[in-house]
Amino acid sequence: MNDYKDWLQAELQETLDEDIELEMEDAALSAEIRRIYRSHHPDQMDRKLYFRELLRLQSELIRLQDWVSHNNERVVVLFEGRDSAGKGGAIKRITQRLNPRVARVVALPAPSDREKTQWYFQRYVPHLPAGGEIVLFDRSWYNRAGVERVMGFATEDQVEQFFQDVPEFERMLVRSGIRLVKYWFSITDEEQQMRFQMRIHDPLKQWKLSPMDLQSRVRWEAYTKAKEDMFERTNIPEAPWYIVPGNDKKRARLNCIDHLLGLIPYGDVDHEQITLPDRVFNPDYERDAVPRELYVPQKY
């Protein structure tokens, strides 16, 4: 029991260190911006409790990964939502400890001129999972119902065709054996504005602000209307939408992971016991000296 407690304490500390590196939360922000943000989030989750729960859920994700791999299951998870709603943070925590050969993230750029002439779903199909794989889409084919529609990159006829096609496309995926899960991360107008302001003033996060992100502020109501239409026409029994309230980042991550685990009937997989073999020493082997210039300079 003491060994377990020692392991848990060490793992929590490592998780804390990794999360700080991963997030660099408020790293370059002024004291005033930090004060304003924290004043709007007085009921923040206890940091130690957050990491303890995150570690527990991530250990369950590893069990899920083993089950998916062992049973040749195919899992697709779509992450959609407002810009800065926390999709990326949730995806990072899900994949943080998983095998990248099993769980991978797909975040496609804007379509090329050639892709614009293809069947709309064509560029997404090659990224669907084979047996034993989990694919997480950081935005997906629902771009057509959101940014492409609001920004005028797709005509109303194209949008209408999408709404007619996507339910059957997703039913085809489910009938083929793919487990399809769709998440929408939701934040308030005020929260999005605050997060955008933080990105503007944080050099470590300025890359996250694109022209499309800035336009999402101007066209907030248009995006709201597009989201409502999307829910109404694509919330099908075979692949329903699940909304994740995202104003509190930490709770949103935990709730999303916990919910995802609850949707899939995974179980334990038997593994052969691993034993470390003895090192074999060859008395005739002599290691060649490696030239010093091949080493990376030890600056730290």
Side-chain angles (χ1 to χ4, degrees), residues 91-138:
I91 291 171
K92 287 176 183 177
R93 276 33 177 224
I94 291 172
T95 60
Q96 186 175 3
R97 298 176 183 275
L98 299 184
N99 184 344
R101 295 183 180 87
V102 175
R104 70 176 188 273
V105 180
V106 175
L108 298 183
S112 65
D113 290 340
R114 180 176 181 275
E115 288 172 330
K116 290 177 183 178
T117 67
Q118 296 175 343
W119 175 51
Y120 178 70
F121 298 97
Q122 188 169 336
R123 76 190 197 112
Y124 295 99
V125 170
H127 299 282
L128 294 173
E133 294 179 350
I134 303 170
V135 175
L136 298 92
F137 280 90
D138 187 351

Side-chain angles (χ1 to χ4, degrees), residues 178-236:
I178 289 177
R179 297 179 183 272
L180 177 61
V181 182
K182 303 187 300 194
Y183 285 117
W184 175 271
F185 279 69
S186 178
I187 56 172
T188 60
D189 186 352
E190 181 185 35
E191 180 68 17
Q192 187 189 58
Q193 180 174 354
M194 190 175 302
R195 291 185 185 179
F196 277 4
Q197 289 290 349
M198 293 175 70
R199 290 181 179 182
I200 289 172
H201 293 282
D202 187 345
L204 296 177
K205 295 184 178 179
Q206 284 178 358
W207 66 269
K208 292 185 176 183
L209 275 176
S210 70
M212 294 299 103
D213 294 334
L214 299 178
Q215 279 297 313
S216 70
R217 290 299 302 153
V218 178
R219 307 182 189 222
W220 174 276
E221 293 181 1
Y223 272 101
T224 300
K225 179 64 165 61
K227 176 196 71 174
E228 292 169 349
D229 288 347
M230 182 187 75
F231 281 171
E232 182 178 351
R233 303 193 61 178
T234 65
N235 186 42
I236 59 176

Side-chain angles (χ1 to χ4, degrees), residues 37-275:
Y37 185 81
R38 289 170 182 170
S39 70
H40 283 75
H41 300 79
D43 188 29
Q44 294 209 11
M45 189 173 187
D46 176 73
R47 194 169 180 80
K48 191 169 184 178
L49 173 61
Y50 165 70
F51 285 122
R52 190 178 294 272
E53 284 300 298
L54 179 63
L55 184 60
R56 180 184 66 81
L57 292 170
Q58 287 178 332
S59 68
E60 288 298 309
L61 284 170
I62 293 173
R63 290 182 63 214
L64 169 64
Q65 168 189 261
D66 290 346
W67 179 83
V68 167
S69 181
H70 179 77
N71 292 284
N72 273 334
E73 290 283 338
R74 292 173 292 159
V75 178
V76 172
V77 188
L78 310 186
F79 291 83
E80 297 287 347
R82 300 277 189 181
D83 295 312
S84 79
K87 301 180 296 296
I91 291 171
K92 287 176 183 177
R93 276 33 177 224
I94 291 172
T95 60
Q96 186 175 3
R97 298 176 183 275
L98 299 184
N99 184 344
R101 295 183 180 87
V102 175
R104 70 176 188 273
V105 180
V106 175
L108 298 183
S112 65
D113 290 340
R114 180 176 181 275
E115 288 172 330
K116 290 177 183 178
T117 67
Q118 296 175 343
W119 175 51
Y120 178 70
F121 298 97
Q122 188 169 336
R123 76 190 197 112
Y124 295 99
V125 170
H127 299 282
L128 294 173
E133 294 179 350
I134 303 170
V135 175
L136 298 92
F137 280 90
D138 187 351
R139 296 201 179 279
S140 65
W141 44 85
Y142 281 99
N143 278 337
R144 174 134 296 178
V147 63
E148 291 188 18
R149 182 183 192 183
V150 173
M151 298 302 298
F153 299 146
T155 66
E156 282 303 313
D157 287 344
Q158 289 175 320
V159 174
E160 179 58 31
Q161 187 66 54
F162 169 80
F163 280 137
Q164 292 182 24
D165 291 345
V166 71
E168 187 54 33
F169 174 69
E170 292 179 352
R171 290 188 185 103
M172 289 171 61
L173 297 182
V174 174
R175 285 198 300 268
S176 77
I178 289 177
R179 297 179 183 272
L180 177 61
V181 182
K182 303 187 300 194
Y183 285 117
W184 175 271
F185 279 69
S186 178
I187 56 172
T188 60
D189 186 352
E190 181 185 35
E191 180 68 17
Q192 187 189 58
Q193 180 174 354
M194 190 175 302
R195 291 185 185 179
F196 277 4
Q197 289 290 349
M198 293 175 70
R199 290 181 179 182
I200 289 172
H201 293 282
D202 187 345
L204 296 177
K205 295 184 178 179
Q206 284 178 358
W207 66 269
K208 292 185 176 183
L209 275 176
S210 70
M212 294 299 103
D213 294 334
L214 299 178
Q215 279 297 313
S216 70
R217 290 299 302 153
V218 178
R219 307 182 189 222
W220 174 276
E221 293 181 1
Y223 272 101
T224 300
K225 179 64 165 61
K227 176 196 71 174
E228 292 169 349
D229 288 347
M230 182 187 75
F231 281 171
E232 182 178 351
R233 303 193 61 178
T234 65
N235 186 42
I236 59 176
E238 297 86 348
W241 280 102
Y242 299 105
I243 298 174
V244 181
N247 276 11
D248 187 315
K249 291 180 180 180
K250 289 183 171 59
R251 288 186 171 93
R253 294 165 188 164
L254 298 181
N255 288 331
C256 179
I257 297 172
D258 180 76
H259 183 267
L260 177 62
L261 291 167
L263 292 178
I264 302 175
Y266 67 96
D268 289 323
V269 174
D270 292 332
H271 295 284
E272 293 184 8
Q273 187 173 356
I274 300 174
T275 57

